[in-house]
Amino acid sequence: MTSTAGGAGQLLAISDLHIGYEDNRALVERMRPETDDDWLIVAGDVAESVSAIEWALKTLAGRFRKVVWVPGNHELWTHPSDPVTLRGVERYEHLVEMCRRLGVVTPEDPYPVWEGPGGPVAVAPLFLLYDYSFLPEGCATKEEGLAYAHKTGIVCNDEYLLHPDPYPTREDWCRARVAETERRLAALPDDLPTVLINHWPLDRHPTEVLWYPEFAMWCGTRLTADWHRRFRVETMVYGHLHIPRTTVHEGVRFEEVSVGYPREWRKRPQPPGRLRRILPTEV
């Protein structure tokens, strides 16, 4: 683990920047820390192309004391418009190496320790994917769930663009990621609280408000349903759902910190692109 000196900084978070939209790119151009000690969590779905992801993370890393990134499904897409045609694990590793050149913390790096207000807390970026275990009501298997989703017309583009190579399936990749991440989290000191960051929520409860419940299949795994209790979690930070809100589950705060698409954020009363404060805790 690495650490920072204490100070008056804040641990801030945002996700689902989707800077392929010019209005969203403009939000990133305006993002600034409030103090020189502020850290920023970027919880996935920056963009689909490697060049756009690099622009955004380089811009933010030049402004914040530390930037912590986890991949979302859009970063992992092998999109026809992206000249970088890497797939699966190779694409992810390419993004990790890019982040390291920029000084951005990834799920493959030692977990930094926040020692500012509200600390010390291990800030743990995770990459876990999903395994289709958040099944629609009445469905008992992945095959039944996908058949139902295709019938309703609500099918995530991951089915066509997110390749698990060299794993046979996305759920195989997910299970491997969960096993390795569980091992690393279990090795943390027993008295050190954590902020866990994953693009997808660690528990199913945030998906209960989805307009299209079948989309939950692409939103996480039941394998992590007890992690907020097991790993001394102060806050679980996630995105993906484009439903920014705070929930409390079994005494643990879950923060969905997404910006979302312009057609979504324009409907909301609050200004878009506001960085959510994770520590010290917002009242």
Side-chain angles (χ1 to χ4, degrees):
M1 293 182 293
T2 59
S3 65
T4 179
Q10 305 169 98
L11 179 62
L12 304 167
I14 200 149
S15 76
D16 296 78
L17 296 170
H18 293 292
I19 66 166
Y21 294 88
E22 285 300 320
D23 287 346
N24 283 32
R25 187 182 180 99
L27 296 176
V28 173
E29 290 172 339
R30 294 197 295 269
M31 285 178 187
R32 297 289 190 283
E34 294 183 14
T35 81
D36 292 340
D37 290 324
D38 286 354
W39 289 17
L40 180 63
I41 292 164
V42 181
D45 277 10
V46 174
E48 291 79 34
S49 73
V50 170
S51 61
I53 298 164
E54 182 172 15
W55 173 84
L57 293 179
K58 183 177 181 179
T59 297
L60 296 170
R63 297 171 181 170
F64 290 82
R65 174 76 174 271
K66 190 182 294 291
V67 171
V68 179
W69 167 83
V70 299
N73 53 314
H74 283 240
E75 281 102 335
L76 299 171
W77 286 358
T78 304
H79 198 280
S81 65
D82 189 356
V84 178
T85 59
L86 296 171
R87 293 162 57 114
V89 172
E90 285 189 344
R91 183 174 181 87
Y92 171 61
E93 290 176 345
H94 180 76
L95 292 169
V96 167
E97 290 306 311
M98 178 198 75
C99 285
R100 286 173 170 167
R101 291 195 302 271
L102 300 175
V104 171
V105 180
T106 78
E108 305 311 305
D109 298 314
Y111 299 143
V113 176
W114 170 259
E115 293 182 347
V121 172
V123 178
L126 316 178
F127 167 40
L128 302 174
L129 273 170
Y130 52 84
D131 62 0
Y132 301 91
S133 56
F134 293 174
L135 288 167
E137 186 175 356
C139 297
T141 66
K142 170 190 173 183
E143 290 71 27
E144 289 181 9
L146 286 176
Y148 177 78
H150 279 280
K151 183 178 179 180
T152 65
I154 305 301
V155 179
C156 184
N157 282 331
D158 292 6
E159 294 299 307
Y160 314 105
L161 298 173
L162 201 167
H163 307 288
D165 312 21
Y167 292 95
T169 65
R170 282 174 286 274
E171 54 266 41
D172 288 319
W173 194 6
C174 168
R175 290 167 192 145
R177 294 295 315 181
V178 167
E180 171 60 16
T181 304
E182 188 173 29
R183 182 193 65 78
R184 289 185 64 195
L185 291 174
L188 289 171
D190 290 340
D191 59 349
L192 185 63
T194 64
V195 168
L196 298 188
I197 307 146
N198 189 48
H199 181 65
W200 300 268
L202 295 182
D203 180 78
R204 184 170 183 166
H205 83 269
T207 70
E208 293 168 356
V209 297
L210 289 171
W211 284 5
Y212 303 103
E214 55 270 37
F215 190 75
M217 283 190 294
W218 296 275
C219 293
T221 170
R222 294 171 62 185
L223 294 172
T224 60
D226 64 347
W227 283 20
H228 60 287
R229 299 192 305 272
R230 287 179 58 197
F231 297 120
R232 305 166 304 283
V233 177
E234 292 278 344
T235 305
M236 195 273 129
V237 179
Y238 68 101
H240 189 56
L241 304 185
H242 294 196
I243 308 172
R245 62 179 182 143
T246 304
T247 58
V248 176
H249 179 62
E250 297 179 334
V252 176
R253 183 167 59 125
F254 282 65
E255 291 282 1
E256 209 279 12
V257 298
S258 62
V259 174
Y261 303 129
R263 67 176 182 271
E264 296 167 326
W265 55 251
R266 286 193 185 110
K267 299 176 183 177
R268 300 171 186 146
Q270 64 270 34
R274 184 181 76 89
L275 303 179
R276 191 82 59 83
R277 193 173 80 197
I278 305 304
L279 290 174
T281 304
E282 288 189 349
V283 178

